[in-house]
Amino acid sequence: MLDSRTIQVIKSTIPLLESAGPALTTHFYERMFKHNPELKDVFNLAHQHSGGQPVALFNAVAAYAKNIENLAVLSSTVERIAQKHTVFLIKPEQYAIVGSHLLATLKELGGDTVTEEVLEAWAQAYGFLANIFIQREAQIYQAHAEQDGGWLGERQFVISAKNTESAVITSFILTPEDGKPVKDFIPGQYLSLKLTHPNLAYEEIRQYSLSDAPNGTSYRISVKRELGGQVSNLLHDAIQVGDKIAVMPPAGDFTLEVAADTPVVLISAGVGQTPMKSMLNQLLKLQHPSTITWLHACEQGAVHGFKQAIHAKRQQHRNLTSHVWYREPAPTDTLGEDYDFEGQMELSKVAELLPPYARYYFCGPIGFMSAIKQQLLALGVAAENMHYEVFGPHADL
C-alpha cells in the first residue's frame, strides 16, 4: 500500500493535472512515440489523431489521483483497461517505458512545481498501479490459455465467409487455421485482430464486437465501413475469403449476465447492434424464459443490418419483441414493415415494454447512449440496471 505522505503529495498535484488537462497526455503520447516508435505498432493511431485516446488517458490519470485513498471505486475501470491491454498483448516491461515518459511529462510541463518529492511520489503511485495491472493481466492471459479452445497471444485464423449485412456492414466468419476448437466467450465481448498489409504504415490492432453466440468452432465479427477508416476499408475491400489473419482471444468487460426470470432490453444504434446481436442469439439459444426486447435505430433501410434475421427470429420466438427507428426513411422504406418509428429513438413510445427491473444493454454513438441513459432514468430505471459499451477509448455518459 502507498504511505500517507505519498498519498498526500499525489492529492496535492490534482490542481496541476486539472490545469494541464488532456494537453498533459497529448504531450505524453508525442514524447513516447518519439522515443519509442516501436509502440506505434501497439497503439491505435487513429485514436491519437482524433484526440480520443489522450482524453481517455487523462481522465484515468485524474481519477487515479482523486481516488488514491479509495482505489476500490476504480475496480471496474481497472478491469476494463486490463481486458483491453491483453488484446494488445501488453507486456510487464512496457509499463516501465510508459512510467518513464509519464514522469518526464510531469517534469516538462509542470516546471518548478514538480519537485523531486512529487516525482518520487508519482513514481511510487505509478509503480503500485502498474503492479495491479500486471497481476490482473497475467491472470487473464493464463485463463485464455487454459480454457478449452483457448490460446495465448496470436493465433492464425482464416476468413471462411464474408457476408454483406447492409450497405456499410460486412460480417466475417473466422475459423482457426489449425482446425481445433475455439474458446467460448461471453456475449458482449470483442475479438482483436492484428493486421499487416502494404497499405498500412504500421501493424494495426483493432477490436470488433463478436456478433453471434459462441459455437466452439468459429467466430463472427461484423464491421462497419468507416469514412476514412484505414482498417475497416481494408477489411471490406482487400481482405477476402481464404485470407489469414492473426487473432487474439476474446476479451472485454461488457458482458451479458442476467437471471432467467429477468427481462432483457437490447438497445442499439448503427453498428452498435453487433454486441447486441451476440447477446440476442445467446439468449434465444439458451431459451431465455423472460421477455426480450430489441430496439434499434439507424439512418434508413440501406444501412439497416440484420433486418431480415431479426424479423425471422421474432417470428420464431414469442417472447421477442422488436421496434426500429429510421432517422430519415428513404422513399423505398415502408412504415410498419421496415421500421416502426421515424426520427430519433424515443423510448416513451414503447414505455410499456420497459419495466424498471429489466436489464438494459445499449451500444452506439456516445450522444445516442447519453440520450438513452437519460430517457431510461426518466422512466425510473436504476443506473445499476444499465450496461453500455463505448467503441474506442472509454468515455462516461
Side-chain angles (χ1 to χ4, degrees), residues 112-367:
D112 294 339
T113 62
V114 179
T115 63
E116 287 302 317
E117 184 181 30
V118 168
L119 289 175
E120 177 59 27
W122 267 104
Q124 291 187 35
Y126 173 80
F128 179 79
L129 183 61
N131 190 54
I132 291 175
F133 278 115
I134 289 170
Q135 291 185 30
R136 176 60 187 135
E137 288 157 23
Q139 293 172 345
I140 297 172
Y141 285 133
Q142 183 177 1
H144 286 168
E146 293 179 349
Q147 187 175 347
D148 290 344
W151 69 97
L152 184 63
E154 301 175 23
R155 184 177 177 185
Q156 288 296 312
F157 279 68
V158 178
I159 307 296
S160 56
K162 187 176 178 180
N163 304 314
T164 299
E165 307 292 358
S166 77
V168 294
I169 298 175
T170 295
S171 288
F172 298 80
I173 307 299
L174 306 173
T175 305
E177 183 184 25
D178 58 22
K180 297 179 180 180
V182 298
K183 71 185 293 290
D184 282 345
F185 58 92
I186 307 175
Q189 291 188 308
Y190 49 78
L191 204 62
S192 188
L193 315 181
K194 178 184 280 189
L195 294 101
T196 303
H197 193 273
N199 293 356
L200 301 174
Y202 303 95
E203 286 185 344
E204 296 285 357
I205 298 176
R206 291 292 189 275
Q207 292 76 46
Y208 296 103
S209 294
L210 289 145
S211 60
D212 202 355
N215 60 34
T217 60
S218 64
Y219 296 126
R220 184 180 73 181
I221 59 171
S222 302
V223 180
K224 178 187 176 184
R225 182 194 293 274
E226 299 288 354
L227 182 64
Q230 271 193 312
V231 175
S232 66
N233 281 279
L234 183 70
L235 287 167
H236 275 251
D237 299 332
I239 303 299
Q240 303 299 334
V241 172
D243 288 347
K244 298 175 183 178
I245 197 165
V247 177
M248 276 67 84
D253 66 329
F254 176 62
T255 52
L256 176 67
E257 298 178 13
V258 61
D261 60 349
T262 303
V264 179
V265 182
L266 306 173
I267 307 174
S268 61
V271 76
Q273 68 180 309
T274 52
M276 304 295 104
K277 191 66 164 57
S278 177
M279 292 181 181
L280 174 65
N281 288 358
Q282 179 74 340
L283 288 166
L284 297 179
K285 179 180 178 180
L286 298 178
Q287 299 183 5
H288 185 69
S290 192
T291 59
I292 306 169
T293 303
W294 174 275
L295 305 177
H296 181 62
C298 60
E299 291 296 306
Q300 55 185 233
V303 296
H304 184 182
F306 300 108
K307 178 171 65 175
Q308 297 306 322
I310 297 298
H311 283 179
K313 291 182 183 300
R314 189 176 61 189
Q315 297 300 317
Q316 297 165 3
H317 300 274
R318 297 181 61 182
N319 63 328
L320 172 62
T321 301
S322 70
H323 290 283
V324 174
W325 280 255
Y326 282 0
R327 193 176 70 85
E328 293 184 356
T332 54
D333 295 329
T334 303
L335 179 65
E337 181 177 330
D338 299 305
Y339 67 101
D340 303 287
F341 304 104
E342 182 175 349
Q344 305 284 355
M345 183 179 287
E346 296 180 34
L347 297 182
S348 60
K349 295 182 180 296
V350 292
E352 70 280 2
L353 302 174
L354 309 177
Y357 52 86
R359 291 295 180 271
Y360 293 82
Y361 295 86
F362 47 101
C363 187
I366 291 290

Side-chain angles (χ1 to χ4, degrees), residues 86-99:
T86 61
V87 300
F88 285 103
L89 304 181
I90 297 299
K91 303 174 183 178
E93 56 266 28
Q94 290 173 319
Y95 279 95
I97 297 174
V98 170

